[in-house]
Amino acid sequence: MTPFLVLIRRDLALSLRQAADALVAVMFAVLVVVLFAFGVGPEANVLSRISAGVVWVAALLAAMLSLDRLFQADHDDGSLEQLALGPLPLWSVALAKATAHWLVTGVPLIVAAPVLALMLAMPPDGLATLLAAMILGTPCFSLLGAIGAALVLGARRGGVLVAFLVLPLAIPVLIFGTAATEAALTGLEAAPHLMLLGACLLATLALAPAAAAAALRQAVG
Amino acid sequence: MTALLEVQGLVGARGGHHLFGPIDLSLSRGGALLIGGANGTGKSTLLRILAGLLAPEAGAVRVNAALRYLGHHDAVKPALTVAENLAFWQRFNGCGASAPPLAAVGLERLAAMPARYLSAGQRRRLALARTLDASAPIWLLDEPTNGLDAASVTRLEAEVDRHRGAGGAVAVATHAVLRLPESRRLELGRT
C-alpha cells in the first residue's frame, strides 16, 4: 500500500473511531433543510422551487463543520512535522487528507442528498442530476477546505476563519451545482452546468493541494 | 568517506533573535553528537534545521542519507492502539523489516491498548519506537529521555549503540546524562 493510501486509511480509521464526524455532517444538513422548510412554510411549490439551492447550501455548510480540524490534530500532536519529513510531498499529504475528509463527510452527504431533496418536495426528475452534481461538487468543498484549514493552523477561532476563507471560494460550485439541478427540473440541458462543475473540480484538484501545502510548510516551520 | 550529514557556516535564529552559529560540523557513520546548552540556546532549533523543518538564517546543511526525527511532540493518536500507531508510521515511511519491534521499547504487552491510556513516558517510548528505524541511517533525537524511566534510558542507549555499530549516526539534544561512548559534544550558547 502506498503512503498516500496509508494516510487515507489512517484518517478513515480515526474518523470511524469517532463515528460522530460523518453522522454530524448529515444530521446538520438535515437540520438546515428542516429549518428552511419551517422558515419558508409548508407550500410544496415554494419548497420544490428552492429545493436545489437549499440542498446545496446545506451540503456546503455541513462540509464546513469539521474542516477546521482537518490538520489541527496532526499539528498539535506533532504528526504534521512527521508527515512533512515522510516520503510524500506536502501537496500529496494535503490531497490525501482532503480525500479522507470527502470520504467521511462528502460521500454521506451525497447519499443523503436525494432524501433531503425529497423532503423539500423536489420532483424525482431532478434527483439523478442532483446526485451527479453532488459527486462533482462535494470534492471541491473538501479541497477548498484544505486550503482554509491549512491557513488557519494555530489560529484562534479557526472554524470561523475557515468559513470566511472557504465559503466565498465555494460560490461557483454552489451556483453551477444549483443551476444543473434546476436545469434538469425545468427540462433544460444540465450538461453544460455539470461540465462547468467538472472544470471546477479539475481546477481545485490542480491548485488546492499546492496552495494547502504552502500554508502547511509555514505552519510546520 | 562521505559524511552522512554536513553543516557549514550554519546560523540559527528564532523570531529575529540570533541563537547560534556559525557552526561547522559533520556526522559520519558510527558517529554521535550530543547537543547541550541552557534553555533557549537553540538545541531544538538546530535539530529542526538539520531535519529540514526549518530554514537556517545562513549556512548550508547537506543530508546524504534518510533520517528520522523525534521532536518534542510524540505524534501519537490517542484513538488508535499502540500497535496501530506504530504500524501507521512504519507503513507510511516504508520501514518494513527494518522497523524495531515494540519489545525494543518495552511496550509489547501494551500493543492492543488504545494509546490514550498510555502514560507520558510510555507515549515517549512509542515515539521512540517510530524513530529508531534502522533503515534510516541518521537519527535526530530532541530530548528523547523526557519522561523515561532508568530502564528505558538504558534501552535507548543500547538501541543507539546498536545503530551506530551498524553504520548509523545520531544527534541528540538533551539536558539528561546519556551514555554514548565516543560521542562529540556541541555546547550551544558558546558559539
Side-chain angles (χ1 to χ4, degrees), chain A residues 2-43:
Chain A
T2 64
F4 185 82
L5 293 176
V6 169
L7 182 53
I8 292 176
R9 192 174 148 184
R10 184 206 65 167
D11 275 16
L12 289 179
L14 286 171
S15 293
L16 289 175
R17 302 279 162 93
Q18 298 145 359
D21 281 3
L23 283 176
V24 162
V26 172
M27 292 311 293
F28 185 80
V30 170
L31 194 62
V32 171
V33 166
V34 169
L35 287 175
F36 261 101
F38 279 128
V40 172
E43 180 58 50

Side-chain angles (χ1 to χ4, degrees), chain A residues 155-170:
Chain A
R156 285 185 301 164
R157 297 182 178 274
V160 178
L161 281 175
V162 169
F164 277 127
L165 289 167
V166 175
L167 289 177
L169 295 174

Side-chain angles (χ1 to χ4, degrees), chain B residues 44-66:
Chain B
S44 298
T45 301
L46 174 57
L47 281 185
R48 288 174 68 80
I49 291 173
L50 297 182
L53 289 168
L54 270 181
E57 192 75 358
V61 178
R62 180 182 290 179
V63 178
N64 299 316

Side-chain angles (χ1 to χ4, degrees), chain A residues 42-92:
Chain A
E43 180 58 50
N45 285 340
V46 178
L47 288 174
S48 173
R49 171 137 169 57
I50 63 168
S51 57
V54 172
V55 170
W56 271 96
V57 169
L60 174 56
L61 294 179
M64 290 291 106
L65 277 185
S66 57
L67 270 178
D68 63 313
R69 298 200 310 275
L70 189 59
F71 300 111
Q72 193 65 53
D74 284 334
H75 181 256
D76 293 346
D77 68 19
S79 295
L80 192 56
E81 61 188 21
Q82 296 299 330
L83 292 172
L85 293 173
L88 286 182
L90 268 177
W91 67 263
S92 193

